[in-house]
């Protein structure tokens, strides 16, 4: 079953240095969808935070299975327009509407 349009939760504003979690979920897709977050139209890299290839200047952890994008300490650089895309390999991937987060 192809995924439906996911529901994205993006805070409209956040205080610098706080923990912020963005979430993305859709329930119709079978097999379950994987989620990809985008900022300003650019796909965010998945970072688990444990590997040796730690990428500098990345302040978030993205979980493609649960659809969460977690910022441990947001900075002004994290301000932008976010959306997520759900895909499970069946049909077209679906994305939620773009939401702006102001830090």
């Amino acid at each position: 079953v192809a995924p439906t349009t996911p529901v994205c939760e993006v805070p409209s504003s956040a205080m610098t240095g706080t923990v912020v979690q963005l979430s993305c979920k859709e329930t119709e897709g079978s097999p379950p969808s994987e989620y990809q977050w985008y900022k300003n139209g650019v796909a965010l890299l998945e970072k688990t935070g444990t590997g040796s290839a730690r990428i500098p200047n990345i302040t978030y952890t993205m979980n493609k299975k649960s659809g969460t994008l977690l910022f441990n300490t947001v900075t002004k650089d994290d301000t932008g327009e976010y959306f997520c895309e759900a895909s499970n390999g069946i049909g077209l991937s679906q994305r939620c509407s773009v939401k702006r987060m102001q830090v």
Side-chain angles (χ1 to χ4, degrees):
V1 180
T4 55
T5 302
V7 175
C8 295
E9 292 183 15
V10 178
S12 57
S13 63
M15 292 290 291
T16 305
T18 59
V19 175
V20 176
Q21 179 169 303
L22 283 56
S23 67
C24 178
K25 200 76 187 154
E26 72 82 32
T27 53
E28 300 293 311
S30 179
S33 291
E34 289 207 343
Y35 303 97
Q36 170 68 53
W37 278 96
Y38 293 79
K39 176 187 173 187
N40 301 331
V42 179
L44 293 174
L45 295 166
E46 185 171 24
K47 184 184 81 107
T48 55
T50 52
S52 56
R54 288 180 69 99
I55 308 166
N57 305 327
I58 288 190
T59 57
Y60 62 81
T61 307
M62 180 170 62
N63 185 323
K64 291 194 170 190
K65 297 267 189 259
S66 68
T68 57
L69 180 64
L70 181 68
F71 292 93
N72 288 323
T73 51
V74 290
T75 66
K76 288 194 182 342
D77 292 339
D78 295 319
T79 294
E81 296 186 339
Y82 291 85
F83 68 86
C84 102
E85 187 174 74
S87 59
N88 65 355
I90 298 171
L92 295 172
S93 56
Q94 298 288 334
R95 56 180 59 173
C96 63
S97 56
V98 175
K99 297 187 178 175
R100 183 168 179 80
M101 179 172 75
Q102 182 74 40
V103 181

